[in-house]
Amino acid sequence: MTVHASGAGRSVSDGRVRLITKVAHMYYEQGIRQADIADALHISQTKVSRLLKRASEIGIVRTVVIATQGVHLALEQALESRYGLQEAVVVDVDGDESEIIAGIGSAGAAYLESTLAGGERIGISPWSQTLLSVVDRLRPLRVTGADRVVQLLGGVGERAVQAKANRLLSHLAELIGAEPTYVQAPGLVGTAEIRQSLITDAAMQSVAEEWQNLTMALVGIGSVQPSPLLRDSGNAIDPADQDQLIAAHAVGDVCQRFFDSTGELIHSDLNSRVVGIDPEVFRTIPRRIGMAGGERKHAAIRAAITGGWVNVIITDVATANALLHENQHAERPTAP
C-alpha cells in the first residue's frame, strides 16, 4: 500500500482529506493498530475503518503489486492473451537443456502443490524427462490432491527405462495420495492389427473408460526428433516414420500424436499404431498442462498451444519471449 496526499480527494473537504490522510498514514506507513489510532485521534474504531475505506475510494491509498525478482507476470499475461491459455507460468531459468528441464521441474512441482485441491483424475505421459523432473521435486501433499493418476500412453518398454516410467506414475500417485493406473502395453507397436488386439483387451477397455473421465493432463511436448528417454525406451518412431513426418511438415507431438506448425494432427498410419488416449478424447480434458522449454522445442510448443493440445503452459523465459516475438508460425521443415 502507498499513501498519496497530494491531488487526492478533490470532492472532499480539506479538513476531511487531512483526517483521512492522517489515518491512512498511521495505519499503512506507521503500522499503528486501528484501535490505537482511534484512541490517539479521539474517534471511534468504526470511524477509523470507514476512513481507511474512503482513503482507497478517493485515491489517497493505492495498492501497488511489486513483482518479485524472477516472477514474469507481464510475460505470462501476454502469453495467456495471445494464445487464449487458461494459465501460463514462466520460469526464470536459462542454460543448457538439463538446466532448463530442472528449472521447469521446480516450477511444475510448485504449480501442482498450489493447485491440486482434491478430487482430480489426472492423466500423465509416461515418457517425459521434464515430468520426471517435476515429480522428483514435488513434496508430499498434506491432503489428498487427486483420486487417480492414469498413464495416457503405453508404459511398457526396455526394462531399465520402463522403471523410470513406472516410477513417474507410482511416485506421483504416492505424493498426492492417488491410486495409479498403468497401461500395460508399449506406447507404439509395429502394426495397426497389434494395436487393435491390445485396445480390445478387457484391461485396456477399463483404462479407456478412465481416460474418458480425466479432469487434468500432465504432458511433455516433444519435437520430431525423439528425446533420449523415449528413444531408449524402445517406443520412439523409427527413421522411416520420422522421414514421413518431416515430409508431412510435422514439428512436434503430445503423447506420440504428431502435429504441424498450426497444431493440426498429422494423419498417417502412425496414429493407428499408438497405444494411448485418442486425440479427440484428450482434447476434452478440461485442464491440459504442458511442461516444456528450450530452443529445440520452440516450434513444437508454439504448435501445441496454437492447436489446443495444451491450455496451460509452464516454460522458460526465453521460450516465452520467442512465442511472443517470433513469427506466429515457424518455418516448416523440409524433407531431406
Side-chain angles (χ1 to χ4, degrees), residues 167-293:
R167 177 170 61 85
L168 174 57
L169 181 69
S170 62
H171 194 37
L172 175 62
E174 179 184 356
L175 289 168
I176 65 176
E179 291 294 323
T181 297
Y182 297 87
V183 177
Q184 300 289 1
L188 185 65
V189 294
T191 67
E193 291 74 20
I194 295 174
R195 175 191 180 273
Q196 187 61 29
S197 68
L198 291 170
I199 289 291
T200 55
D201 178 77
M204 277 300 306
Q205 288 291 303
S206 177
V207 173
E209 288 179 11
E210 292 193 47
W211 286 337
Q212 297 279 349
N213 297 307
L214 297 175
T215 61
M216 180 192 301
L218 302 176
V219 297
I221 299 171
S223 59
V224 177
Q225 291 74 28
S227 68
L229 180 68
L230 182 60
R231 184 174 58 246
D232 293 344
S233 76
N235 284 283
I237 57 175
D238 62 28
D241 286 325
Q242 186 171 316
D243 289 345
Q244 289 180 11
L245 288 168
I246 292 174
H249 310 301
V251 297
D253 81 286
V254 168
C255 293
Q256 293 284 60
R257 306 295 185 177
F258 287 84
F259 41 76
D260 65 16
S261 62
T262 68
E264 286 294 317
L265 179 69
I266 299 290
H267 294 284
S268 72
D269 80 315
L270 187 66
N271 288 319
S272 65
R273 292 157 44 208
V274 173
V275 182
I277 189 170
D278 287 338
E280 296 79 8
V281 175
F282 177 81
R283 294 199 218 194
T284 66
I285 300 171
R287 186 158 49 140
R288 305 180 299 281
I289 304 166
M291 303 190 192

Side-chain angles (χ1 to χ4, degrees), residues 85-120:
L85 294 166
Q86 288 184 12
E87 194 166 4
V89 178
V90 176
V91 187
D92 192 22
V93 62
D94 56 15
D96 62 24
E97 190 166 311
S98 65
E99 291 171 311
I100 291 172
I101 287 173
I104 294 173
S106 295
Y111 177 83
L112 293 179
E113 289 167 6
S114 63
T115 62
L116 287 178
E120 298 280 5

Side-chain angles (χ1 to χ4, degrees), residues 45-84:
Q45 189 170 337
T46 301
K47 185 169 185 178
V48 170
S49 180
R50 287 200 302 267
L51 291 172
L52 289 172
K53 181 180 179 183
R54 187 64 175 144
S56 289
E57 293 173 347
I58 64 178
I60 289 175
V61 172
R62 300 172 189 169
T63 301
V64 179
V65 178
I66 307 298
T68 305
Q69 184 176 3
V71 176
H72 299 278
L73 292 178
L75 262 181
E76 293 170 354
Q77 291 168 356
L79 284 172
E80 291 161 5
S81 176
R82 167 77 71 86
Y83 292 100

